[in-house]
Amino acid sequence: MISSGRQVRARVAVLISGRGSNMLALARAMQAQDYPADLVAVLSDRAEADGLKSATDRGIPAQALPRASFASKAAHEAAMIEALQRVAPDIICLAGYMRVLSPAMLAAFQGRIINIHPSLLPAFPGLDTHARALASGTRVHGASVHFVTEGVDEGPVIAQVAVPVMPDDDPDRLAARVLTGEHRLYPLALAMLARGEVRLDKGKARFSRSDNSIRSQMLLIA
Ligand code: GRF
């Protein structure tokens, strides 16, 4: 952890594969003096990820470790783990990182990896969540920040944001509404973890009794 004045700020690394808008939302939140975390590194598995340039333009250390440069998934992950260990993050945020993490990566950062997923988990794990939400007829959709565990999109939920599904929505319109919610949700959820208001304990999310942590689990966007 970094100590700035009286406040201890968690060191955060963000893993991306593409656009990086959630990474930027986290970076913006971290500019606040009272935010409990600092962004120390952005890593991508794709050299062409737009988020890498956005990070570099803002002076955030960013590095690509393309999967194609490594002989195997294991070799790629070993390099990722090494790069992460060099920056010694307290917390790793997956933000549009399109790879399933191996048990080795999970073990190296036990209980300290979180992900944002564009649905109200446990509904719609996996891909194409917005089209599937529309096809299901649900009137409420949203996003979840959860601890990363071995099952894809199965880890315990830390916080969620809900948005309405409008009658004239198509997947893109719905995705844009959810994304606005994601950009509010992820900084709140990360702050909860950085402040110790939630932790992973025997496969479950354990919350402290702070009013703030309870409130931020109920973020609803009209
Ligand atoms: C977001 O919708 C996130 O929930 C999902 O992938 C997308 C990444 O978008 N995991 P961005 O790269 O953060 O803009």
Side-chain angles (χ1 to χ4, degrees):
M1 303 249 180
I2 297 172
S3 188
S4 79
R6 282 170 44 222
Q7 196 183 16
V8 174
R9 292 168 74 105
R11 294 171 62 83
V12 173
V14 179
L15 268 49
I16 62 169
S17 296
R19 181 176 54 184
S21 72
N22 277 289
M23 176 273 295
L24 289 178
L26 292 174
R28 266 192 302 275
M30 290 181 198
Q31 284 171 353
Q33 274 200 336
D34 60 350
Y35 195 82
D38 286 313
L39 183 45
V40 296
V42 172
L43 294 180
S44 171
D45 63 327
R46 290 178 60 240
E48 60 279 22
D50 287 339
L52 279 177
K53 185 173 179 325
S54 312
T56 308
D57 287 350
R58 285 162 179 78
I60 301 163
Q63 186 187 355
L65 288 171
R67 168 67 182 85
S69 309
F70 297 86
S72 63
K73 175 180 165 70
H76 179 246
E77 279 236 327
M80 273 288 194
I81 293 172
E82 217 181 287
L84 284 166
Q85 281 169 339
R86 270 199 298 274
V87 294
D90 298 303
I91 298 169
I92 296 169
C93 293
L94 309 187
Y97 186 65
M98 298 304 286
R99 296 197 170 273
V100 177
L101 303 189
S102 68
M105 174 83 107
L106 295 173
F109 303 100
Q110 179 76 30
R112 296 189 285 141
I113 309 179
I114 61 177
N115 179 46
I116 187 155
H117 179 76
S119 79
L120 292 172
L121 291 171
F124 312 122
L127 299 175
D128 298 324
T129 56
H130 309 302
R132 287 159 61 209
L134 284 174
S136 78
T138 183
R139 304 302 314 282
V140 181
H141 186 39
S144 308
V145 174
H146 64 93
F147 285 107
V148 177
T149 54
E150 279 194 35
V152 174
D153 302 329
E154 277 180 14
V157 169
I158 296 170
Q160 294 181 309
V161 61
V163 302
V165 177
M166 300 307 218
D168 57 349
D169 272 347
D170 60 22
D172 288 346
R173 283 171 61 102
L174 184 54
R177 193 175 307 117
V178 170
L179 192 65
T180 303
E182 291 184 39
H183 295 164
R184 291 177 60 187
L185 176 70
Y186 214 169
L188 282 173
L190 172 60
M192 288 168 68
L193 182 60
R195 290 195 183 103
E197 294 173 358
V198 62
R199 64 193 161 86
L200 184 66
D201 178 24
K202 299 186 191 86
K204 290 210 167 8
R206 300 271 177 221
F207 296 90
S208 70
R209 291 194 187 161
S210 123
D211 286 350
N212 280 343
S213 68
I214 300 303
R215 262 204 300 275
S216 53
Q217 288 168 68
M218 298 190 291
L219 187 62
L220 189 75
I221 297 195

